[in-house]
């Protein structure tokens, strides 16, 4: 069940641009062996950027 409010095309474009920008920065950090700070179940955690990319890719594939 989808309870999300529809967003405008402009908002969708902006959100996609933001996602691409964050992905690009996390990919840079991954190549440098750096960490990223994320939120998991309401807690702030530090994980390797490469692990964050793997998790994001797995979540994206699971959502399809």
């Amino acid at each position: 069940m989808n309870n999300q409010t529809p967003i405008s095309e402009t908002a969708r474009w902006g959100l996609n641009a933001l996602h691409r920008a964050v992905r690009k920065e996390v990919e840079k950090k991954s190549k440098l062996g750096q960490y990223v700070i994320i939120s998991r179940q309401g807690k702030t955690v530090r994980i390797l950027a490469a692990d964050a990319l793997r998790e994001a890719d797995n979540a994206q594939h699971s959502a399809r």
Side-chain angles (χ1 to χ4, degrees):
M1 185 158 79
N2 186 353
N3 292 332
Q4 294 179 336
T5 304
I7 61 173
S8 71
E9 189 61 33
T10 303
R12 187 181 324 278
W13 183 86
L15 186 59
N16 287 337
L18 182 60
H19 280 276
R20 285 190 309 272
V22 170
R23 174 81 185 202
K24 185 177 176 181
E25 289 303 311
V26 175
E27 286 173 349
K28 267 197 240 179
K29 286 184 168 292
S30 176
K31 289 177 184 176
L32 295 170
Q34 296 178 344
Y35 291 88
V36 293
I37 308 300
I38 62 169
S39 177
R40 277 196 185 147
Q41 299 174 348
K43 298 195 187 248
T44 305
V45 295
R46 180 181 80 156
I47 65 170
L48 283 170
D51 292 342
L53 286 173
R54 258 185 250 109
E55 289 179 20
D57 289 344
N58 288 340
Q60 187 177 17
H61 292 310
S62 296
R64 289 182 185 177

